[in-house]
Amino acid sequence: MSPKRALITGITGQDGSYLAELLLDKGYEVHGLVRRASTFNRGRIDHLFSDPYAPNKPIRLHYGDLCDSNSLLRVLKLSKPDEVYNLAAQSHVAVSFDIPEYTGDSTGLGTTRLLEALRTSGLESKFYQASSSELYGKILETPQNEQTPFYPRSPYGCAKAYAFYLTRNYRESYNMYAVNGILFNHESPRRSENFVTRKITLSLAQILSGKMDKLYLGNLDAKRDWGYAKEYVEGMWRMLQQEKPDDYVLATGETHSVREFLELCLNYANISFEKRGDGINEEYINTKTGKTIVAIDERYYRAAEVDILLGDASKAKNELGWEPKTMVSDLAKLMIESDFAEMGVSL
């Protein structure tokens, strides 16, 4: 019997790499969509293959782009997937304010192109759309679940809202097996360095190794529901194993501020500190050296802030049998240990 086939867009990212590992462990043949770039950005998946273009490998990579419909059709015909996981996007919220048109094109219209390519291909693949807690934005109720109204506060959130409703529309209009996974923030040692959790853990390692003087952050009071990415990709997979397609929230049910995450990391890094000032003048001082190690830079504030996100994953627990195991304290420790080991800094 031939193994199941899966196509992952965004396979070189944090979620894509963990999902590829999970599916390979389950015996899938995994195909990944990758964009052509002048830099070789495949470090998260290098360990999964020796030659990605060799025949009869359980993982194969294909060049393509969510902004190019023809490439999507070509890759679908080559891979003939049983399951498609659309994880690709311009996924940085702050950057979306700087490049709103491209964000809408890749994150919103890119989903349109992929769904339409899948529909016209004649394949009966199950489709997973990576939705986001940024859909809730200026929250209208707490906690947020599958019934909570959306109020996105960034071009990224707006593009994700478009993609969410389009996925639901294709499900209802064409009877496609298409689901939205509304995932709250999920982090790991594989998180990109410009996301705040990884920025904190990596920067502290660089400061202690003498490669950086100071970490600059934005709004320390923003609160998020942070989980472990490796656990969340199993939730994605479980959504596509259900008899009927539906939309699900994945979250921990706990919310913590950026400040809390920062101080957890400082403690795990054995950095004694004191706080001085407030607002944009707030600083964290290393009490052993007397040097400022964390300061505020208003350039890292968003044009429209999302103050708090808190997810209710009861539906996922009841219907998928999914629930998080790693909460923020263990997550911070895991990420600190990884980045400090990478930088050769002892704890």
Side-chain angles (χ1 to χ4, degrees), residues 5 15 22 27 38 42 88 96 112 117 138 146 167 222 224-225 246 248 261 294 346:
R5 292 183 171 193
D15 292 5
L22 176 77
S38 58
R42 299 179 191 173
S96 77
T112 307
K138 189 175 181 180
E146 294 82 3
T167 299
R224 295 292 183 269
D225 185 325
D246 205 349
Y248 296 91
F261 189 89
V294 182
S346 59

Side-chain angles (χ1 to χ4, degrees), residues 38-274:
S38 58
T39 56
F40 203 72
N41 183 26
R42 299 179 191 173
R44 297 183 183 94
I45 57 172
D46 274 345
H47 64 289
L48 298 179
F49 49 75
S50 56
D51 181 359
Y53 301 105
N56 303 317
K57 287 283 184 180
I59 183 168
R60 299 290 300 278
L61 301 181
H62 308 272
Y63 283 118
D65 197 307
L66 289 183
C67 297
D68 179 8
S69 300
N70 285 335
S71 70
L72 299 179
L73 274 167
R74 174 180 54 79
V75 172
L76 284 171
K77 289 179 179 179
L78 285 171
S79 59
K80 296 181 175 59
D82 299 291
E83 299 170 2
V84 176
Y85 296 86
N86 184 30
L87 311 185
Q90 190 303 99
S91 59
H92 198 278
V93 175
V95 171
S96 77
F97 286 98
D98 296 325
I99 50 172
E101 183 179 344
Y102 175 72
T103 300
D105 192 18
S106 61
T107 307
L109 287 176
T111 305
T112 307
R113 296 184 187 100
L114 185 53
L115 280 166
E116 186 64 9
L118 186 58
R119 184 185 72 84
T120 57
S121 71
L123 297 168
E124 295 185 358
S125 314
K126 294 181 176 181
F127 179 85
Y128 171 86
Q129 168 61 22
S131 290
S132 166
S133 58
E134 289 291 330
L135 293 168
Y136 299 114
K138 189 175 181 180
I139 58 170
L140 300 177
E141 64 183 35
T142 299
Q144 298 91 50
N145 60 31
E146 294 82 3
Q147 304 304 316
T148 302
F150 298 153
Y151 197 144
R153 296 267 283 172
S154 65
Y156 170 77
C158 292
K160 282 293 187 181
Y162 175 89
F164 175 93
Y165 286 119
L166 197 77
T167 299
R168 180 178 285 179
N169 184 263
Y170 268 65
R171 180 170 74 215
E172 296 174 353
S173 299
Y174 302 115
N175 198 33
M176 292 175 65
Y177 193 112
V179 309
N180 287 289
I182 309 173
L183 274 57
F184 280 64
N185 292 66
H186 45 289
E187 319 297 313
S188 77
R190 298 183 190 175
R191 190 58 143 154
S192 294
E193 298 169 13
N194 56 354
F195 286 83
V196 68
T197 52
R198 183 76 197 292
K199 180 180 178 180
I200 289 170
T201 60
L202 182 59
S203 294
L204 292 182
Q206 291 174 327
I207 288 170
L208 291 187
S209 66
K211 296 180 179 179
M212 177 186 285
D213 293 326
K214 191 184 303 183
L215 164 63
Y216 289 95
L217 295 172
N219 181 9
L220 297 183
D221 296 316
K223 293 184 175 180
R224 295 292 183 269
D225 185 325
W226 277 308
Y228 185 23
K230 189 173 184 178
E231 296 169 358
Y232 281 48
V233 298
E234 183 173 345
M236 299 177 188
W237 174 77
R238 291 191 183 199
M239 290 179 206
L240 295 194
Q241 311 315 307
Q242 304 306 298
E243 183 178 347
K244 295 181 179 179
D246 205 349
D247 306 323
Y248 296 91
V249 163
L250 299 186
T252 68
E254 293 184 1
T255 188
H256 298 273
S257 66
V258 175
R259 184 189 306 282
E260 289 177 79
F261 189 89
L262 169 64
E263 293 182 3
L264 277 171
C265 292
L266 287 168
N267 288 327
Y268 283 131
N270 297 313
I271 299 174
S272 59
F273 63 89
E274 64 177 31

